[in-house]
Amino acid sequence: MNLATPAPGTNSQLFVIDPLPRLNPAKDSSVALMQAAQRAGQQIWVCTLQDLSAAERPGAPLAGHGGRVRAQPVTLAPMESSPAGWQVPEPWFLLGEPQQLPLDAFPWVWMRKDPPVDEAYLYATHLLELAERHGVRVLNRPASLRAWNEKLGALRWSHLMAPTLVSSQVDQLAAFATGHGDVVLKPLGGRAGQGVVRSHGGAPGLRALLELVTDQQRLPVMAQAFLPGVTAGDKRILLVDGEPLGAVNRKPMAGEFRSNLAVGGAPEATGLTDAERQICAALAPALQAEGLFFVGIDVIDGRLSEINVTSPTGVREVERLGGIPLADQTIERLLAS
């Protein structure tokens, strides 16, 4: 069913996301943010990466405008939380007819497309930068999305991390594993725990594994000393404009060291320790300066692991388990900024 199509106004927000039918509204943080913006009186529009373009407007040179978008307005049904999870009505969204619009028709644009950060993603950040130059606030800032690899970005604060090596050289990685014993190997472009493996300096076939994960020494990987404390959980902390608003602990399933919800980790209610608040405070100035408004950091046993800037998840779990209206607080801070 399609809705009548209004024109975007000063209370409009555009979300660049994966196609709505692919999203799981009971778990998806973008859906939570869209619902919160709608509750705040905002008109919600959606598009995909492929809907972004640059074309001349009548009377305006190509280089002088803020890009274009094929966008659709959407109305989202309310959802209630229960001990079993979020209750999703059917249908949970209604779309209006698509319109070709200037990107600068929207005061705010959320870049919430899930990884991978591939060519299509990177080109989209350049198109969104056109809108940014025309006064549109893009969340998160396109240049920072390009600059911040979610694993390498944390190296700015390597003193807060477990011992870490990034290299494509098998000899270096093997020596690191020998020196630290248990290690975790992470592909730099991975997401949701995909491709993360655990090994040991004395493991048979270690060099063959290192050749595999580095694509025969062509690509660097991140090696980190294994933190046994991960059995108690990997904490996702959500920061809005540098301030932590909520967290969820993700506990690995039996026989697994990865705690990501996408690979079977169980979410638990949690608070923040003093050490975790200190980590957040250390990161805040850089996040604010670089336009990283909505960020999720991962902390294991008091050590910083990753800084997620593309489409951080965890909002639904924080809201349901912690009773914190995190999406509403995020939109409130955005509108007040």
Side-chain angles (χ1 to χ4, degrees):
M1 177 179 178
N2 283 349
L3 303 171
T5 303
T10 57
N11 65 334
S12 298
Q13 296 191 23
L14 173 66
F15 283 74
V16 184
I17 55 174
D18 289 298
L20 276 176
R22 296 187 196 171
L23 304 185
N24 180 351
K27 296 182 177 296
D28 195 273
S29 293
S30 296
V31 176
L33 291 167
M34 289 190 287
Q35 288 177 321
Q38 183 176 275
R39 287 192 293 270
Q42 298 288 291
Q43 185 186 88
I44 309 305
W45 294 69
V46 294
C47 74
T48 66
L49 298 186
Q50 291 70 33
D51 292 317
L52 300 171
S53 63
E56 290 187 3
R57 293 188 224 172
L62 179 63
H65 77 81
R68 302 213 26 107
V69 62
R70 181 183 182 272
Q72 291 178 271
V74 61
T75 297
L76 299 128
M79 289 168 43
E80 298 293 331
S81 174
S82 75
W86 290 90
Q87 305 304 305
V88 180
E90 287 294 342
W92 63 270
F93 68 88
L94 295 174
L95 280 170
E97 294 295 335
Q99 291 189 44
Q100 286 285 349
L101 298 162
L103 271 170
D104 56 18
F106 299 95
W108 299 278
V109 174
W110 289 84
M111 177 49 153
R112 290 281 306 175
K113 168 70 175 69
D114 282 340
V117 178
D118 54 13
E119 282 185 280
Y121 187 100
L122 294 173
Y123 294 150
T125 65
H126 286 287
L127 291 169
L128 290 172
E129 217 161 22
L130 295 174
E132 191 178 49
R133 295 189 188 113
H134 276 240
V136 177
R137 187 166 182 191
V138 182
L139 311 155
N140 288 319
R141 183 177 294 161
S144 294
L145 290 176
R146 292 195 299 272
W148 282 66
N149 175 274
E150 299 192 328
K151 294 176 177 63
L152 294 178
L155 292 175
R156 299 192 191 191
W157 298 274
S158 59
H159 62 289
L160 301 175
M161 302 171 68
T164 298
L165 169 71
V166 176
S167 177
S168 59
Q169 300 301 307
V170 167
D171 287 345
Q172 292 180 9
L173 293 164
F176 181 87
T178 299
H180 291 282
D182 258 356
V183 294
V184 174
L185 305 171
K186 301 179 179 180
L188 299 182
R191 61 179 290 264
Q194 297 172 359
V196 177
V197 296
R198 180 181 171 187
S199 191
H200 189 278
L206 173 64
R207 294 184 69 88
L209 173 63
L210 294 174
E211 290 168 0
L212 178 66
V213 298
T214 62
D215 192 16
Q216 300 298 319
Q217 302 191 104
R218 191 178 69 86
L219 294 174
V221 298
M222 175 175 281
Q224 290 185 311
F226 177 72
L227 297 173
V230 74
T231 57
D234 174 350
K235 196 172 292 189
R236 164 59 56 86
I237 305 171
L238 291 167
L239 296 91
V240 176
D241 201 21
E243 182 177 347
L245 294 189
V248 61
N249 192 48
R250 303 168 298 178
K251 195 166 184 178
M253 62 190 298
E256 176 64 80
F257 73 95
R258 297 175 300 171
S259 56
N260 308 73
L261 301 181
V263 293
E268 300 176 333
T270 190
L272 296 184
T273 66
D274 288 343
E276 289 160 351
R277 291 190 180 279
Q278 290 170 8
I279 291 173
C280 294
L283 271 56
L287 300 181
Q288 292 168 336
E290 300 190 32
L292 294 168
F293 178 77
F294 191 80
V295 170
I297 68 170
D298 296 337
V299 177
I300 301 172
D301 198 18
R303 301 288 190 95
L304 176 65
S305 175
E306 295 183 15
I307 302 174
N308 298 272
V309 301
T310 50
S311 57
T313 61
V315 173
R316 289 296 197 205
E317 290 75 20
V318 170
E319 292 186 330
R320 182 172 67 86
L321 298 172
I324 299 170
L326 195 145
D328 292 290
Q329 292 177 358
T330 300
I331 297 301
E332 180 182 352
R333 286 170 183 250
L334 175 62
L335 298 179
S337 61

